[in-house]
Amino acid sequence: MVDVIDSADARAETSDAAKPRRPVPSWVITVGSLVVLLGAWEIFGRDINPVFGSYPSAIAEAFWQLARSGKLGTALLDSLRPFFLGYGLAILIGVPVGLITGRFRTVEAAIGIYITAGYAMPLVALVPLLVLWLGLGFAVKVAVVFLMSVFPICINTWLGVTAVPKTLIEVGKSFVAPNSVILRRIILPATLPYIMAGIRLAVGRAVVAMVIAEFFTSISGLGAIIITSANNFDTATMFVPIVVLMVMAIGLNYLIGAIERWVAPWQAEIAGRDE
């Protein structure tokens, strides 16, 4: 009888050990990482001279002061208008140009070198020239954001088109489909992961471009808060727009990921990723 009970317990333990352990959710790991980072920053940041650094609680207090006074909301609105217009234009222009460049050999030979050169060129050096052309107002900020974000979108789309299996295109040709239909019905869906990757990469460049434009043109928006606070050695307030920009970039990145899962739900299954 004892042997029967012992064997049953052994089988139960073996079955429990054979069950796969449920992985820790990604959000738990992310929250834990943030808690550790912010805790260490809070502890060690208090020992740093306020002129040279700050810590989360001081930044949170400065954030509350700016938000309550209305300065942060006004500055954020001033920064977001050229950001979204320039970034939106980069998507509207970069995706079609990348599709056409990758699809047609003549277009690739004609403008491919300029796209590659534009991506590698230090566009910050062109800001003074853009100021001469467009002035110091809204237009030049849109132009800077557009130029710094259009090339990643264009190049990723271009590479995505070249990565489309030739057999898919041959199937379209076998049904006597015109180039416009092949581009819209075959190449575009197959290139969507590359397009979304380019749009994600362009978010960070667009945020940087927005701040650069505010530094080199009419000082306004979040860039004005950074410059004013730095000149006054108010490090905690200077970190507020920096943190806001980081959070905005992360939020946009997650939003683009959600849009990608909506427009290309098959990609997660192909990649074998666990959501």
Side-chain angles (χ1 to χ4, degrees), residues 41-63:
W41 186 7
E42 180 73 25
I43 293 171
F44 296 105
R46 291 179 176 272
D47 297 330
I48 300 175
N49 190 320
V51 175
F52 301 107
S54 187
Y55 46 91
S57 60
I59 297 172
E61 183 179 355
F63 173 86

Side-chain angles (χ1 to χ4, degrees), residues 165-178 181-182 186:
K166 188 177 180 181
T167 53
L168 294 179
I169 299 175
E170 294 297 332
V171 169
K173 290 182 177 180
S174 67
F175 284 97
V176 200
V181 174
I182 293 175
I186 297 176

Side-chain angles (χ1 to χ4, degrees), residues 210-229:
M210 177 183 68
V211 178
I212 289 175
E214 292 174 343
F215 281 176
F216 285 88
T217 62
S218 58
I219 300 176
S220 62
L222 297 176
I225 296 178
I226 295 175
I227 292 178
T228 304
S229 304

Side-chain angles (χ1 to χ4, degrees), residues 80-254:
L80 289 181
R81 287 188 298 144
F83 170 82
F84 281 117
L85 182 56
Y87 184 59
L89 288 174
I91 296 174
L92 291 177
I93 295 176
V95 172
V97 170
L99 288 172
I100 295 172
T101 304
R103 179 68 183 94
F104 302 104
R105 184 182 60 84
T106 304
V107 178
E108 181 179 3
I111 68 173
I113 186 173
Y114 303 115
I115 296 173
T116 305
Y119 179 76
M121 181 175 56
L123 295 172
V124 178
L126 293 181
V127 174
L129 184 60
L130 293 175
V131 170
L132 292 176
W133 291 348
L134 302 174
L136 294 171
F138 180 78
V140 69
K141 296 178 182 179
V142 173
V144 173
V145 174
F146 169 79
L147 288 175
M148 288 194 68
S149 56
V150 69
F151 292 109
I153 298 173
C154 190
I155 287 179
N156 273 270
T157 305
W158 174 12
L159 295 177
V161 174
T162 59
V164 174
K166 188 177 180 181
T167 53
L168 294 179
I169 299 175
E170 294 297 332
V171 169
K173 290 182 177 180
S174 67
F175 284 97
V176 200
N179 281 324
S180 59
V181 174
I182 293 175
L183 193 65
R184 188 176 68 255
R185 296 291 182 87
I186 297 176
I187 295 178
L188 180 59
T191 313
L192 272 176
Y194 291 86
I195 295 174
M196 302 309 293
I199 293 174
R200 283 191 180 192
L201 289 174
V203 166
R205 289 175 65 96
V207 170
V208 173
M210 177 183 68
V211 178
I212 289 175
E214 292 174 343
F215 281 176
F216 285 88
T217 62
S218 58
I219 300 176
S220 62
L222 297 176
I225 296 178
I226 295 175
I227 292 178
T228 304
S229 304
N231 291 336
N232 294 330
F233 301 102
D234 187 358
T235 311
T237 304
M238 185 191 72
F239 268 104
V240 171
I242 295 174
V243 173
V244 169
L245 291 172
M246 293 170 62
V247 172
M248 183 181 77
I250 293 172
L252 288 173
N253 188 59
Y254 278 105

